Amino acid sequence: MEIAGSARNDGGERKAQILEQICAKMQKNNLSALHSEKKCILFYNKFLKQSLLRIMDNLERADELKIVTSYYREIQGILKERGIEHQRRADVSKAFRIALNAHKDMRRRSGEPYIIHPLNVALIVLKRMNLGATSVICALLHDVVEDTDYTLDTIEEIFGQEIKEIIDGLTKIDTVPDHDQSQQFETFHKILFSMSKDPRVILIKLADRLHNMQTLSSMPEEKRKKTAAETTYFYAPLAHRLGFFSIKSELEDLAMKYQDPGGYEFIEDKIKNTEAERSTFIEEFIAPIKASLEKKGFHFEISSRIKSIYSIWQKMDKKRIRFEEVYDLFAIRIVIDVPQEHENSTCWTVFSTVTDIYQPDYSRLRDWITNPKANGYKALHITVISQTGRKVEVQIRSSQMDKIAENGFAAHWIYKTDENQQNKPDEQGVEKWLAEIKEKLQTSENIGDQIGVMKNDFYTTEISVFTTSGAVVKMPKHSTVIDFAYRTNSTLGDYCIGAKINNRLVPLHEELKSGDQIEIITSQKQKVQPQWRKYAHVVESISGIEKALEREENAKIETGKVNLKDLMNKNHIDPTVENVEKLMNFVDCKDLNALYLAIYNEKITEQHIKKCFSVWRAFYKITYILKPLWRLIKSFFGFFLVDNITTRLSNSNPSKVLLGENVQDIKRTIAPCCQPVSGDPIIAFAHSDKEIVIHRSNCRKAQKEAAKFGNRIIKAKWRANEDYAEFLAGINIQGADIKGIASEIISIIYKDFQINCRSLNFRTSEGIFEGEITLYIKNVKNLTQLIDKLRRLDGVTKVERINSYYDQSKKTEN
């Protein structure tokens, strides 16, 4: 520190302090080349005026610079390895420099430089989606327009219109034009609309969402819940539909981690605790398969994959089983390296080899080779029974099928404007689906309806049905006759009166099954009915029904317009605009179409017209005014009655403050769909300025609402002293119908726990009983202790909380 000492002697105290810090920073970062006094003095003189403190800060972040550089070099290395031309790699370099400059002063909530996020998104796009330089450029720039001063016009000027349009599709909307829709739904709509023009929009958006979910822990609790709900509701199903199964599983697991941390940790611990036993079993199971395939000269890879945590939870919840009862906890995967022209027959040969060794359960055979899934997935799935009697799922696929399964559509559909065009395979399936997306966006003016229809389609399982000529028509599972009619031909749908399925006459709402042969029966006298909406599940039928009803309504309006003119002329009243408006005001019609429809439906008759233009018009008008006023008075009194009942049922007595500091004198409603009790992880929504609704955080209805209206989420927590409040909770109990068991159950509830019951319902059949009990519970700990004790009863095989998502722990043995 001689330099600093001499600086002090010269009277430069501030200079000496800064030089000491510079030396320390340079030594820390091994900048030995700058250690000499001469160079250090030059360093000081050159940069002091330009902000020495900023330089010191940059020295502190040298490690971060190394990380950023390593990410960038990895991207360029992959592009070079794939043979991407120099000019395109230079464009990627340009995009990186722009993103680096645009985000230079920005940091994420985790504290890391913001530029690390677009770099990670670009790597996901490259490594996990197999996309090219154009997509990498868009990934690097995807937040530049939204978060910085760069504009879309600037992007277009530098990179061209194609990249500008993709980035525009990735940029969130700033305003909500329709106050009936949430900003999230508007954003979903924009993404899907952009995707229908260029699928790379949604692929980059999926990569963006994946990295955001991977780093979600640094966000506030409300933001975590909102983002997780959006992911479960929209992004994970979309990843599934596009065939990105690994991304879909990771998104679902990460979302569950924040929506249901208890359930996530429970299943994660179970998987870890059974890992050793599972590994031993798998090794023994695959040994004979491996030996047989090697003997036959196959080139293959055989591995196992554990089911995702979310998928395990889904199965446990749907089938109401314990973790130990999930037989397909893992699957064996056999990937055959074989030319594409021989892959189907080779997979069936391997199937034969496996079923020669182990007994197959043919009811569990899934032939996705003959009938691939809508997202392009192809494989053979068969469940076999091991030597120990354990059921194991075996998946057989070729290397090409495996690429499709891992990388989704990007593995077998190369975009016209991206790289590697020479290997472009059949893209009909993808283009057809993209065309359907575009059509779906135009089927309804309500964005919520559009998103709901498409979101359901993302996860839908397809069935294959046949026309009378033998043509195969793929339909979503649960499709009805009316869906088939509209998908086949819109005219058939409009005049459909029923169908023959396998020569059996069925109604419009009959659900189709795979293999059905369908003949649509029509009549020119048939008219589309509003109740048909309940039978429609696919976009063609939903759209066709709405269009037919709209045409019919327009026809009624025209007829009503003519009828009104005739009625006014009949009563010697000129059908002028002023007189029509006078009639509208008299009968309180909002617009002309409503008036014409009321005339057509005879809700407004000739008598109304006479009264409107009579000398007693004022008297008649008063009677019309009083009618809705009387209805309002009745509803006003009814409101208090309903509110009183709701308050009793939900225990929302104003004297019982359920939630923490952010909730004051407003009504708290316990959601009946999941019935949270004190101690449950909760999420609260502001439904108005005077009411909040409390759900369990893993409630499906709450997750859907959070995905649609994340801005309504409010911070809420249970207070510590909740012992005076009681909450409704239900439990389901099953077991052997042993004499006196009901008495024991009731004794535990009333005597041991002193819990009041609202209702008990027991049923017995063939020596088995099942019951539902609704209880008034003080807190979740109280409920858990009760369930644990009931499980220890002799003869009881299952006890679980109704609407339970993860409380599936193994019954304790006596």
Side-chain angles (χ1 to χ4, degrees), residues 695-803:
H695 293 261
R696 291 166 66 187
S697 62
N698 53 18
C699 171
R700 288 192 181 93
K701 188 173 181 181
Q703 291 170 6
K704 184 175 180 180
E705 186 163 353
K708 292 181 180 179
F709 305 104
N711 58 312
R712 294 182 183 176
I713 299 174
I714 61 172
K715 185 177 181 180
K717 62 181 180 181
W718 300 109
R719 284 190 174 177
N721 54 342
E722 291 297 337
D723 290 343
Y724 55 77
E726 290 185 337
F727 305 83
L728 278 176
I731 61 173
N732 178 278
I733 185 166
Q734 298 174 21
D737 187 15
I738 302 171
K739 185 177 180 180
I741 194 166
S743 177
E744 291 185 64
I745 292 169
I746 293 169
S747 177
I748 289 174
I749 293 171
Y750 281 105
K751 292 183 179 179
D752 296 4
F753 285 84
Q754 299 179 350
I755 293 174
N756 289 325
C757 289
R758 180 180 176 180
S759 65
L760 296 96
N761 181 19
F762 286 93
R763 301 174 300 279
T764 62
S765 176
E766 299 179 353
I768 303 295
F769 83 90
E770 182 175 0
E772 287 86 32
I773 308 171
T774 307
L775 309 161
Y776 289 102
I777 296 293
K778 291 183 178 180
N779 53 56
V780 73
K781 183 180 178 182
N782 192 216
L783 179 61
T784 303
Q785 289 172 343
L786 171 63
I787 289 173
D788 287 342
K789 186 152 189 178
L790 289 173
R791 281 177 174 154
R792 291 196 288 269
L793 275 177
D794 284 335
V796 172
T797 57
K798 181 183 290 187
V799 185
E800 62 189 9
R801 180 177 174 182
I802 295 175
N803 294 325

Side-chain angles (χ1 to χ4, degrees), residues 598-743:
I599 294 287
Y600 176 88
N601 294 318
E602 297 184 353
K603 290 182 179 179
I604 297 175
T605 63
E606 187 176 354
Q607 291 301 315
H608 290 89
I609 296 172
K610 287 180 178 180
K611 290 177 181 178
C612 175
F613 294 96
S614 75
V615 294
W616 298 99
R617 180 180 184 278
F619 172 76
Y620 293 128
K621 179 65 177 175
I622 290 172
T623 61
Y624 282 119
I625 294 172
L626 289 178
K627 281 183 180 179
L629 182 62
W630 175 243
R631 286 196 297 267
L632 180 63
I633 292 169
K634 285 170 68 179
S635 65
F636 182 72
F637 284 107
F639 169 78
F640 284 102
L641 178 62
V642 173
D643 184 60
N644 205 16
I645 295 171
T646 305
T647 302
R648 263 198 319 273
L649 292 178
S650 62
N651 295 285
S652 56
N653 190 318
S655 66
K656 298 179 180 180
V657 180
L658 300 178
L659 299 172
E661 63 280 347
N662 285 7
V663 182
Q664 308 264 335
D665 299 326
I666 49 180
K667 179 182 175 184
R668 285 84 58 193
T669 301
I670 299 296
C673 53
C674 54
Q675 294 180 334
V677 303
S678 177
D680 276 330
I682 56 171
I683 183 170
F685 297 92
H687 277 213
S688 67
D689 293 337
K690 298 182 179 180
E691 180 186 18
I692 61 171
V693 178
I694 304 117
H695 293 261
R696 291 166 66 187
S697 62
N698 53 18
C699 171
R700 288 192 181 93
K701 188 173 181 181
Q703 291 170 6
K704 184 175 180 180
E705 186 163 353
K708 292 181 180 179
F709 305 104
N711 58 312
R712 294 182 183 176
I713 299 174
I714 61 172
K715 185 177 181 180
K717 62 181 180 181
W718 300 109
R719 284 190 174 177
N721 54 342
E722 291 297 337
D723 290 343
Y724 55 77
E726 290 185 337
F727 305 83
L728 278 176
I731 61 173
N732 178 278
I733 185 166
Q734 298 174 21
D737 187 15
I738 302 171
K739 185 177 180 180
I741 194 166
S743 177

Side-chain angles (χ1 to χ4, degrees), residues 116 259 370 407 502 622 671:
I116 287 177
Q259 290 176 313
T370 306
N407 297 324
N502 306 325
I622 290 172

